[in-house]
Structure formats: structure tokens, C-alpha cells
Amino acid sequence: MSDPETLSVTIVDGYVDEPAHFGVPPYISTYPRYTAGALVDAGVPREEITYHTIDGLRDEPDRWRDVDEADLLIYLGGMTVPGKYVGGTPAEPDEVRKLAWTASGTSLMGGPVKFGVGEENAGATETERQDLDFDFVAKGDVEAAVHDVVESGLEGFDNRMRDVDEVSRWAREGAFIVEQHPNHPEYLIAELETSRGCAYRCSFCTEPLYGNPTFRPPPSVVGEVDALSDLGVKHFRIGRQADILAYGGDGEAPNPDALRSLYGGIREVAPDLETLHLDNMNPITIVEWPEKSREGIRIIAEHNTPGDTAAFGLESADPLVQEENNLNVTAEECFEAVRIVNEEAGWRPGGPRDPRPDGHASADEDAPTRLPKLLPGINLLHGLKGEREETYERNLEFLRRVYDEGYMLRRVNIRQVMSFDGTEMSETGAEIANDHKKLFKRYKRQVREEIDNPMLARVAPTGTVLPDVHLEYHQDGKTFGRQLGTYPLLVGIPGERELGKTTDVAVVDHGYRSVTGVPYPLDLNAASMDELTTVPGIGSSTAGDIVVNRPYESVADAEFGGEVDLEGFATARPLERAD
Ligand code: SF4
């Protein structure tokens, strides 16, 4: 029998990526936070709980000692959607096995890893359930398993789900773990759960394995944000739910009052938050309850921060694929939902469509252009049952229509299916995805060129200001970074700037999924040749002239000639004097 008060516990975060839950840095998922809270609730002292990310273990081999020496090792991880990540590298199955072998104490594994493990974390793969040599695998909620295994003296637990009271308590009590995350405090975004489960049953999706939706009431989520905010977290994403519009309702229809309590409550307890984004919204909800949805979308856009994305799971615009996979939204319905989100939330702060009385007043030509408040994103999935060549054409047609009719999409996400036990797709597996690999590649390139690039220029036109871009890595003489938030744009800035810092950036050019930017405001008295020539219309000879004729008293003072319009994003700072 182990006494909780003397128990040392190490939590290792191998990261998660589920259809409605993200936890690869700079995100921290709910799992380590709730697990830490469950441990404290079961009597384990906070100072006995150590938290490492898998990247933290890779960076500092000494940290493996905490894995070895803990009385209880908890591994959290699992990828149920494929992806490529900039901020961290998810644990590979071999690393997870090594954790189990290294642990001298009891080992327990949980999170979406319970749904299965593939050869690699990639699309078009099949997975199977494995214990990866751990003593225990939590087949219910890992936080409930952790709580119960500690109470049992590390003897065992029943697989069960936690209830609302538990999650409310554990979310608050476990918030302290964020301080041990390598990205804390500045570059960390906390994923927030508002509900689990889904009313629909798409063939490939693991979310229905959680059953019909259950919601955390507003005070439960708001209390958690309060605790996280007290610990210095300023960035939040309401990403752990299948459909934010259904929040607090009957499982399908929107409940704007619940959304108002949720968003209003968060703003009240974290008035200084810098990011408040969401992830999933179901387009079918918008089409079936348009008025309530419009109200809900307006509430979100009033409280969120710019650049927010409502990810729509269209998955396929082909009716045959929709039918065979039980997908719940048609291309026509999805188009309608795109239109409604654009109308209600596609405005820019301080821009002409800003509906807020003070926002509208500030709308003037000198206000920097910001990203729209909330735009739809489109998820398309390939390798589903019934997929044919025509499917690819139909998807392209849908995207072209959105573009041609003048609407904005924040991003298009194209993936190949991963097949999991317990979902209908497990019978088909990765066969169709593998057969269509060539087709998929060609189509992906078409989407990038025909849709993504011009759409990005519409969403973030030249001169759009992106505040607080975190500088992450150098490549080809440039510095790349992203803002914190949901599906942030990758920004390339000329020159190698100091990493780990943040800077405001003005967009000057567009790639497929990334933009080129210059520091904002661009100081004509200090900008480098590289920065100047990145601005559209400034060639190297104009840039040379700008440098030679320094200093300038004002932007107007500098003669560029030609069509160059720098007024919106350049400045001329006085030079510092030696005296
Ligand atoms: S609507 Fe379909 S894809 Fe979305 S969470 Fe529900 S089951 Fe999954």
C-alpha cells in the first residue's frame, strides 16, 4: 500500500492530436492539467508531481531520472489525426516503450493512445491497440484512472469516465502544472474543454467514441481559466469540443445564452488575455438553426481575438462519399454556413464593418488592417469509403465557388484518413488512401496554387498587421515565426533575427499557407536592404536610395517614386543622438 502523501509522480506528455483536442506545443492539452489535478485531489502533494514534455526529455537526458525514480509514471499521448508540427515532435512508439522500460515504479498510460498506435504518426496508416509494455492502460478517462489508482495504493482501477464535478475540481487544482511546461508563460496556449462527444457518427471519427455530447457548464470552464490566468497563461483556445455553437444546448441546437455566459465569464476573469480562439464549429448547426447560430457567432466575434477560425468538417463535397461515410453536411449546406460566418464575423477590428460602437468610431484610414475576427476553415478528408476521381473535382469546385463569390476562408486543411478500431473506417482501412496517393498529391498542389494563395491575399492583404509574432527558427537567411492561436499563419521575415522574441509584422507577400512580412512599423531610418526590397514595388536600386538618403523626418519625406505606398506600415524614427 502506498501512501499518497509520500508518492512521487512523473507525468510525461507525448502530445495529443484528436479531431477535437490539440496538445502539441505551443499548446498544452487538458490531459496533463486534469491528471495533475486528479493526483492532488487523491492526496499527492503538488511538489511531488513532476511534468516533462517528450521534447523536454529529448533535450535534457538527465530528466529521464525522473522517469526512472518516480513511484508512478504516467504517460499521456496519442494521435488520432495525422499532422506535421512545428512546435514539437510527438512521441514515437519506440520512445513510449522506452519510458515503460525505464520506469522502476508503476507505469500507467492514457489519453487517445488508448484508441490505437500506428507504425508512425501519419495519414493513410492503420493502427492497433497496444500496451507498449506499460503496467496499466487507462481505457476510460486517464485522469479518473490516475485518481483511482492512487486511492487504491497503486493496486488498480476500474475503467471509468470522470463526472462534471470531478473535471471542474481537477481542472482548477491541476492548473499549476503549466508552470513546468517549457513554453510557460509567454509562448503557451491552453486548450480548453467545453464538451466531449458528438451527436453525429461520421465513419472515420473517434469523437463519437465519447458518446453523445456532454457539456461542462460555464462556471466550470471559467473557473479553470481563472486559475490558469492567475498562473500567467494569457492565451486560450476553446478547442476541445465537436461544435462550439452547440455549447450548453440540447446537443444539437445552439444556446446563445450559454455562449454568452462562457465567453463573457472568460473575459471577466482574464481581462488581460491576449488570445481567445476556438476550433470546431459544425456547419450543419448553422444551416439548421440560422438565427440562433447568427446570434451565437456574433457573441463569439464580440469576445474573441482576431484571426479566429471556425473549422468546418465538410470532409467531402462528393454526395457519394457523404452518403457512404455518414457525413452530416452537404457542399451546398457548407457553402451557406461559410456565407453566414463571413457575414456575421468576417469584420476586422477598427475596420468599416466593425459592429462595436467604439470599434466603428476608430475606423479610419490610418488604423492598421487586422485579420478578420472569425472566419471558417474547411477540413477535407481523403481515402474515405466511396472516394473516386470525381471526388477530387467536386472538392475543388466547392473551393472555387467560395473564392469566386467573394467569401473568405481562413484556411483549407486537407488530410488523408487514419483508420481506428471502433470506427466504421476500420473495415476499409488505408486502402483507398493508398490507391489514390498520386491523385491526392496533384490535387493538393492545385488547392495550394488555385485557392490557398489568392485566398490568403484576400484574408491578409498587403499591409495587414500581425501583432506578437513569435520568432521560432531560421531558414535560408530568413526568420520564421507564428502568432499564438488557432492555425496561425507562418510568417517569414527577411534576415536572421533573435529567436524566442516577439515582433509585430506587416504582411508584404503571400505564399500558399505562409506570408512574408516586415517588422511593423518598418523604420525607414533603420530597415535593412533585405527588409526594404521585400516591400512590393521597392527594387534594390530604390532600397539603395532609401538607405543612402537617410535620415528621414517622416515617411512622406522619403521619395520612392513609382507606385510604392508605405504610409500604412512604415515610420521614420528619429535617430538616437550621441550627445
Ligand atoms: S460531426 Fe462527424 S467529424 Fe465532427 S466530431 Fe462529430 S462525428 Fe466527428
Side-chain angles (χ1 to χ4, degrees):
M1 203 51 197
S2 309
D3 180 1
E5 293 209 0
T6 60
L7 208 65
S8 67
V9 183
T10 295
I11 300 171
V12 174
D13 187 350
Y15 311 143
V16 299
D17 190 356
E18 300 179 80
H21 195 178
F22 190 58
V24 182
Y27 283 79
I28 179 166
S29 74
T30 63
Y31 292 108
R33 288 148 38 207
Y34 296 178
T35 298
L39 288 165
V40 171
D41 201 34
V44 180
R46 281 182 180 199
E47 52 284 4
E48 292 299 325
I49 304 171
T50 304
Y51 169 66
H52 291 306
T53 63
I54 190 72
D55 283 308
L57 288 180
R58 292 177 187 129
D59 292 347
E60 292 275 345
D62 273 0
R63 292 179 177 147
W64 281 86
R65 200 176 308 141
D66 296 329
V67 175
D68 173 12
E69 293 173 359
D71 298 316
L72 174 62
L73 167 76
I74 302 164
Y75 172 73
L76 305 169
M79 301 281 149
T80 64
V81 289
K84 285 200 183 114
Y85 312 98
V86 182
T89 309
E92 290 292 338
D94 281 348
E95 288 176 306
V96 184
R97 262 187 216 102
K98 187 177 159 199
L99 286 167
W101 297 339
T102 306
S104 309
T106 303
S107 60
L108 185 153
M109 159 170 107
V113 70
K114 70 186 177 194
F115 294 130
V117 178
E119 281 300 299
E120 51 171 350
N121 295 318
T125 53
E126 291 167 22
T127 64
E128 55 176 326
R129 288 196 180 131
Q130 292 182 16
D131 64 10
L132 296 171
D133 301 332
F134 274 69
D135 297 329
F136 296 110
V137 179
K139 299 198 183 74
D141 278 327
V142 61
E143 51 271 31
V146 162
H147 177 266
D148 296 354
V149 84
V150 169
E151 283 207 326
S152 77
L154 303 185
E155 297 295 323
F157 55 89
D158 288 331
N159 285 304
R160 69 174 178 97
M161 306 303 265
R162 32 79 171 173
D163 62 33
V164 170
D165 285 344
E166 283 174 329
V167 72
S168 304
R169 216 164 55 235
W170 296 346
R172 285 193 83 114
E173 287 179 356
F176 75 94
I177 210 76
V178 296
E179 291 189 304
Q180 297 185 43
H181 195 289
N183 290 42
H184 180 270
E186 278 93 16
Y187 196 36
L188 187 66
I189 179 162
E191 182 85 316
L192 299 174
E193 174 186 320
T194 59
S195 82
R196 299 197 300 178
C198 185
Y200 305 97
R201 297 287 178 266
C202 305
S203 70
F204 57 89
C205 183
T206 49
E207 195 57 26
L209 302 177
Y210 290 102
N212 285 328
T214 51
F215 301 101
R216 287 177 70 194
S220 175
V221 184
V222 171
E224 180 180 12
V225 172
D226 195 10
L228 289 165
S229 168
D230 285 349
L231 291 154
V233 177
K234 287 194 180 325
H235 306 275
F236 301 92
R237 185 177 81 155
I238 304 173
R240 179 64 189 108
Q241 76 278 317
D243 179 12
I244 187 65
L245 275 185
Y247 176 70
D250 61 5
E252 293 179 61
N255 177 356
D257 290 340
L259 274 175
R260 196 172 285 110
S261 308
L262 176 73
Y263 273 87
I266 289 176
R267 280 292 191 169
E268 215 172 294
V269 296
D272 299 329
L273 65 80
E274 290 171 15
T275 307
L276 182 59
H277 281 173
L278 62 88
D279 191 12
N280 300 299
M281 189 181 277
N282 197 332
I284 201 67
T285 310
I286 303 178
V287 181
E288 290 197 3
W289 294 275
E291 288 318 312
K292 277 187 173 176
S293 294
R294 280 184 188 269
E295 189 181 345
I297 291 165
R298 283 197 295 271
I299 291 165
I300 294 170
E302 189 189 319
H303 293 90
N304 70 354
T305 54
D308 199 1
T309 313
F312 284 175
L314 170 62
E315 315 304 356
S316 180
D318 183 347
L320 185 71
V321 178
Q322 278 158 18
E323 166 132 15
E324 292 212 12
N325 297 276
N326 215 12
L327 307 182
N328 59 53
V329 66
T330 66
E332 193 55 43
E333 288 165 335
C334 191
F335 183 83
E336 178 64 8
V338 164
R339 186 174 70 80
I340 289 177
V341 173
N342 269 263
E343 284 172 2
E344 298 296 343
W347 49 273
R348 301 173 196 267
R353 283 178 55 209
D354 188 336
R356 301 165 304 176
D358 53 337
H360 203 64
S362 76
D364 64 66
E365 290 191 353
D366 291 341
T369 306
R370 300 287 303 273
L371 286 174
K373 265 307 193 81
L374 175 70
L375 290 179
I378 298 290
N379 296 343
L380 294 167
L381 192 59
H382 288 274
L384 291 171
K385 280 186 280 180
E387 181 174 288
R388 47 195 174 152
E389 202 162 342
E390 196 183 320
T391 309
Y392 291 83
E393 202 35 55
R394 290 202 179 236
N395 287 359
L396 274 164
E397 258 168 41
F398 169 81
L399 296 172
R400 284 183 194 126
R401 179 176 173 207
V402 171
Y403 183 78
D404 292 346
E405 297 204 19
Y407 296 112
M408 291 187 279
L409 294 177
R410 179 58 185 70
R411 60 114 183 92
V412 181
N413 198 0
I414 304 173
R415 295 176 299 190
Q416 281 185 300
V417 75
M418 263 175 123
S419 114
F420 282 88
D421 276 357
T423 69
E424 261 186 58
M425 259 320 275
S426 64
E427 290 158 32
T428 314
E431 203 181 313
I432 299 174
N434 284 326
D435 285 353
H436 290 176
K437 268 199 165 149
K438 252 195 178 151
L439 212 54
F440 179 73
K441 235 177 143 179
R442 192 180 66 206
Y443 148 92
K444 213 170 160 179
R445 201 182 52 238
Q446 255 178 309
V447 174
R448 299 290 169 249
E449 289 170 3
E450 270 185 54
I451 309 293
D452 284 346
N453 176 265
M455 191 60 94
L456 199 48
R458 183 178 285 170
V459 170
T462 299
T464 303
V465 173
L466 309 172
D468 296 325
V469 173
H470 291 252
L471 305 179
E472 290 175 296
Y473 62 94
H474 295 146
Q475 196 181 308
D476 304 329
K478 289 187 193 157
T479 306
F480 288 87
R482 296 174 302 170
Q483 292 176 294
L484 272 179
T486 195
Y487 309 102
L489 288 174
L490 185 64
V491 186
I493 307 167
E496 297 202 343
R497 303 176 74 87
E498 189 180 340
L499 301 182
K501 302 274 179 208
T502 61
T503 186
D504 296 350
V505 165
V507 173
V508 290
D509 199 9
H510 307 88
Y512 299 145
R513 316 197 81 191
S514 63
V515 293
T516 304
V518 288
Y520 173 81
L522 187 66
D523 181 4
L524 295 184
N525 287 330
S528 68
M529 281 291 284
D530 275 349
E531 286 165 355
L532 289 167
T533 51
T534 309
V535 177
I538 300 190
S540 52
S541 87
T542 312
D545 290 347
I546 292 174
V547 171
V548 169
N549 293 322
R550 280 171 180 166
Y552 303 99
E553 296 279 324
S554 68
V555 177
D557 199 25
E559 296 254 328
F560 303 119
E563 294 292 296
V564 185
D565 176 17
L566 270 182
E567 286 288 343
F569 55 95
T571 189
R573 290 200 180 104
L575 295 181
E576 286 190 10
R577 288 168 201 273
D579 56 356

